[in-house]
Amino acid sequence: MLKSFRAALTLSVITFTALGTSSALAAPLKVVASFTVIADFAKNVGGDRVSITTIVGPDGDAHVYEPSPADAVAMAGADVVLVNGLHFEGFLQRLVDASATKAAIVTLTKDVTPIDFKPEFADADAAEGAGKTVTDPHAFQSIANARIYVKNIAEAFCAADSEGCVGFQTNAAAYTKKLDALEGEVKAAIQSIPEEKRVVITSHDAFGYFEHEYGLTFLAPQGISTDSEPSAADVAKLVNQVKQDKAAAMFIENITNPRLIEQIASETGIKVGGTLYSDALSQPDGPASTYIDMMHNNIAQIKGAILGS
């Protein structure tokens, strides 16, 4: 009888251990992020309780991206889909329809105050046309807005995985502190640049929120989307404006063809100062593989080109 009891006890322990292991190894939340910046935020909030698939990868351009069948499969199997919104992802609705996903589609610009502006150049934004007010979707270029993205991600993860909620909130709070420190560094770097030199040129209007938040002026031949080609008249107008405004530096973007910026550089005599990361992070071994690294890289490139250090 004692032998039978020991056998039953052993079986109970094995069963309990198996159940505990199963719980500990529960499948992570399947998350689809529309592009790399959002994926990085999600990784910092979700930790090892999430498995992230990114649609538009490093150095990718979400404005012109064409989804693949694999993207539809990932979307169909997702628990949560994280997107920027504000028409940043031109492919989004087609992908949602093709995948027939049942996942929650979470728009991370919820509670962000959007910036509207009128394109200066005739063909700057083909979809809306010259002089029409358009909404800038690049809200993540403001660190204050990045904190809102992180808050929205934590809420979405808590809604999908209540058992992990405390961990998500703890991770979000820790990452927000890093963003606070980053914002202080960016503001200090801008303050070190003389006001008369805070004019720079980039390929497209991706830095409106950065400009609004931190006091730089960005000029660009393309509008908010790279899915357009400025006319010769637009380029000539920008060249004249650059000469009048005395732009201090010029940059290519990691997602765009450098040809246009190189043309403007040759016509204005302004040296290309380096590469800014606008709509996508770099490859993992690059200088902007995380959002914080992206901001560090961009402000270092700008400050270095303007001040020559």
Side-chain angles (χ1 to χ4, degrees):
M1 186 172 180
L2 181 60
K3 189 173 182 181
S4 298
F5 176 77
R6 285 176 176 169
L9 181 61
T10 301
L11 181 60
S12 298
V13 171
I14 291 172
T15 303
F16 179 79
T17 302
L19 289 171
T21 302
S22 175
S23 175
L25 299 178
L29 201 64
K30 293 179 181 177
V31 177
V32 168
S34 60
F35 70 112
T36 51
V37 169
I38 287 177
D40 185 53
F41 291 155
K43 180 179 178 181
N44 279 281
V45 174
D48 59 9
R49 288 189 73 96
V50 300
S51 173
I52 302 170
T53 299
T54 309
I55 301 296
V56 185
D59 296 318
D61 185 352
H63 295 299
V64 297
Y65 183 77
E66 289 296 329
S68 69
D71 296 331
V73 171
M75 187 81 88
D79 298 310
V80 179
V81 176
L82 303 175
V83 303
N84 186 80
L86 301 179
H87 305 291
F88 180 78
E89 304 97 343
F91 61 86
L92 181 61
Q93 193 57 53
R94 284 180 290 137
L95 184 55
V96 170
D97 292 343
S99 68
T101 183
K102 304 299 184 192
I105 310 295
V106 182
T107 301
L108 298 183
T109 48
K110 173 182 170 288
D111 299 329
V112 164
T113 301
I115 292 176
D116 295 330
F117 68 100
K118 292 183 179 180
E120 290 191 51
F121 303 106
D123 297 326
D125 195 280
E128 283 79 8
K132 300 286 184 68
T133 299
V134 294
T135 298
D136 185 347
H138 305 87
F140 51 88
Q141 286 292 345
S142 155
I143 299 169
N145 287 340
R147 289 193 285 266
I148 295 175
Y149 282 51
V150 169
K151 175 183 71 71
N152 288 336
I153 290 171
E155 290 177 355
F157 287 175
C158 282
D161 176 10
S162 58
E163 290 185 4
C165 188
V166 172
F168 298 142
Q169 292 172 337
T170 300
N171 292 345
Y175 185 63
T176 297
K177 286 185 179 180
K178 293 181 180 180
L179 293 177
D180 293 341
L182 173 67
E183 187 165 49
E185 294 169 16
V186 170
K187 288 180 176 179
I190 298 295
Q191 287 300 312
S192 71
I193 301 172
E195 288 189 23
E196 66 274 12
K197 291 187 176 182
R198 296 179 192 174
V199 180
V200 299
I201 303 168
T202 58
S203 300
H204 86 295
D205 282 314
F207 296 96
Y209 291 86
F210 193 100
E211 175 177 319
H212 180 267
E213 200 76 34
Y214 307 117
L216 281 175
T217 297
F218 287 83
L219 304 176
Q222 290 178 295
I224 58 170
S225 173
T226 57
D227 190 17
S228 63
E229 281 292 334
S231 67
D234 291 337
V235 175
K237 181 179 178 182
L238 178 60
V239 168
N240 290 333
Q241 184 175 346
V242 168
K243 291 177 179 177
Q244 292 172 4
D245 290 346
K246 298 179 181 178
M250 184 177 303
F251 300 92
I252 61 174
E253 295 174 35
N254 66 315
I255 65 163
T256 60
N257 189 320
R259 177 182 53 80
L260 185 58
I261 288 297
E262 290 168 352
Q263 176 189 343
I264 296 170
S266 68
E267 294 186 28
T268 60
I270 298 176
K271 182 180 178 182
V272 176
T275 299
L276 299 185
Y277 290 81
S278 53
D279 294 15
L281 302 180
S282 70
Q283 298 291 337
D285 59 350
S289 61
T290 69
Y291 178 79
I292 289 176
D293 286 344
M294 178 185 81
M295 284 295 184
H296 280 149
N297 172 85
N298 288 355
I299 195 59
Q301 292 283 336
I302 291 169
K303 181 178 175 182
I306 293 175
L307 300 182
S309 58

